[in-house]
PDB file of all heavy atoms in Angstrom:
ATOM      1  N   THR B 125     -15.332  -6.033 -74.231  1.00 88.00           N
ATOM      2  CA  THR B 125     -16.574  -6.797 -74.233  1.00 88.00           C
ATOM      3  C   THR B 125     -17.183  -6.720 -75.626  1.00 88.00           C
ATOM      4  O   THR B 125     -16.918  -5.774 -76.376  1.00 88.00           O
ATOM      5  CB  THR B 125     -17.573  -6.262 -73.196  1.00 88.00           C
ATOM      6  OG1 THR B 125     -17.774  -4.857 -73.422  1.00 88.00           O
ATOM      7  CG2 THR B 125     -17.058  -6.454 -71.782  1.00 88.00           C
ATOM      8  N   MET B 126     -17.961  -7.717 -75.970  1.00 90.00           N
ATOM      9  CA  MET B 126     -18.634  -7.731 -77.271  1.00 90.00           C
ATOM     10  C   MET B 126     -20.061  -7.237 -77.089  1.00 90.00           C
ATOM     11  O   MET B 126     -20.814  -7.759 -76.264  1.00 90.00           O
ATOM     12  CB  MET B 126     -18.633  -9.142 -77.856  1.00 90.00           C
ATOM     13  CG  MET B 126     -17.237  -9.670 -78.158  1.00 90.00           C
ATOM     14  SD  MET B 126     -16.313  -8.649 -79.319  1.00 90.00           S
ATOM     15  CE  MET B 126     -17.264  -8.916 -80.825  1.00 90.00           C
ATOM     16  N   VAL B 127     -20.418  -6.219 -77.835  1.00 86.00           N
ATOM     17  CA  VAL B 127     -21.759  -5.655 -77.766  1.00 86.00           C
ATOM     18  C   VAL B 127     -22.350  -5.733 -79.172  1.00 86.00           C
ATOM     19  O   VAL B 127     -21.876  -5.028 -80.084  1.00 86.00           O
ATOM     20  CB  VAL B 127     -21.744  -4.194 -77.270  1.00 86.00           C
ATOM     21  CG1 VAL B 127     -23.155  -3.625 -77.253  1.00 86.00           C
ATOM     22  CG2 VAL B 127     -21.099  -4.118 -75.897  1.00 86.00           C
ATOM     23  N   GLN B 128     -23.325  -6.611 -79.328  1.00 87.00           N
ATOM     24  CA  GLN B 128     -23.966  -6.815 -80.641  1.00 87.00           C
ATOM     25  C   GLN B 128     -22.917  -7.031 -81.723  1.00 87.00           C
ATOM     26  O   GLN B 128     -22.967  -6.413 -82.795  1.00 87.00           O
ATOM     27  CB  GLN B 128     -24.878  -5.631 -80.974  1.00 87.00           C
ATOM     28  CG  GLN B 128     -26.033  -5.479 -80.003  1.00 87.00           C
ATOM     29  CD  GLN B 128     -26.968  -4.329 -80.337  1.00 87.00           C
ATOM     30  OE1 GLN B 128     -26.561  -3.367 -80.971  1.00 87.00           O
ATOM     31  NE2 GLN B 128     -28.216  -4.443 -79.900  1.00 87.00           N
ATOM     32  N   GLY B 129     -21.959  -7.887 -81.412  1.00 89.00           N
ATOM     33  CA  GLY B 129     -20.943  -8.253 -82.382  1.00 89.00           C
ATOM     34  C   GLY B 129     -19.821  -7.248 -82.548  1.00 89.00           C
ATOM     35  O   GLY B 129     -18.895  -7.469 -83.349  1.00 89.00           O
ATOM     36  N   VAL B 130     -19.865  -6.141 -81.787  1.00 88.00           N
ATOM     37  CA  VAL B 130     -18.827  -5.109 -81.885  1.00 88.00           C
ATOM     38  C   VAL B 130     -18.034  -5.072 -80.584  1.00 88.00           C
ATOM     39  O   VAL B 130     -18.607  -5.055 -79.490  1.00 88.00           O
ATOM     40  CB  VAL B 130     -19.454  -3.724 -82.144  1.00 88.00           C
ATOM     41  CG1 VAL B 130     -18.358  -2.662 -82.240  1.00 88.00           C
ATOM     42  CG2 VAL B 130     -20.283  -3.752 -83.419  1.00 88.00           C
ATOM     43  N   GLY B 131     -16.723  -5.071 -80.691  1.00 88.00           N
ATOM     44  CA  GLY B 131     -15.876  -5.023 -79.503  1.00 88.00           C
ATOM     45  C   GLY B 131     -15.847  -3.635 -78.894  1.00 88.00           C
ATOM     46  O   GLY B 131     -15.745  -2.635 -79.612  1.00 88.00           O
ATOM     47  N   ARG B 132     -15.943  -3.578 -77.582  1.00 89.00           N
ATOM     48  CA  ARG B 132     -15.887  -2.308 -76.854  1.00 89.00           C
ATOM     49  C   ARG B 132     -14.789  -2.402 -75.797  1.00 89.00           C
ATOM     50  O   ARG B 132     -14.849  -3.221 -74.896  1.00 89.00           O
ATOM     51  CB  ARG B 132     -17.216  -2.017 -76.147  1.00 89.00           C
ATOM     52  CG  ARG B 132     -18.381  -1.797 -77.097  1.00 89.00           C
ATOM     53  CD  ARG B 132     -18.194  -0.573 -77.924  1.00 89.00           C
ATOM     54  NE  ARG B 132     -19.393  -0.212 -78.678  1.00 89.00           N
ATOM     55  CZ  ARG B 132     -19.378   0.311 -79.892  1.00 89.00           C
ATOM     56  NH1 ARG B 132     -18.217   0.541 -80.499  1.00 89.00           N
ATOM     57  NH2 ARG B 132     -20.510   0.624 -80.502  1.00 89.00           N
TER      58      ARG B 132
END
Side-chain angles (χ1 to χ4, degrees):
Chain B
T125 54
M126 296 301 292
V127 178
Q128 297 181 334
V130 180
R132 295 295 190 216

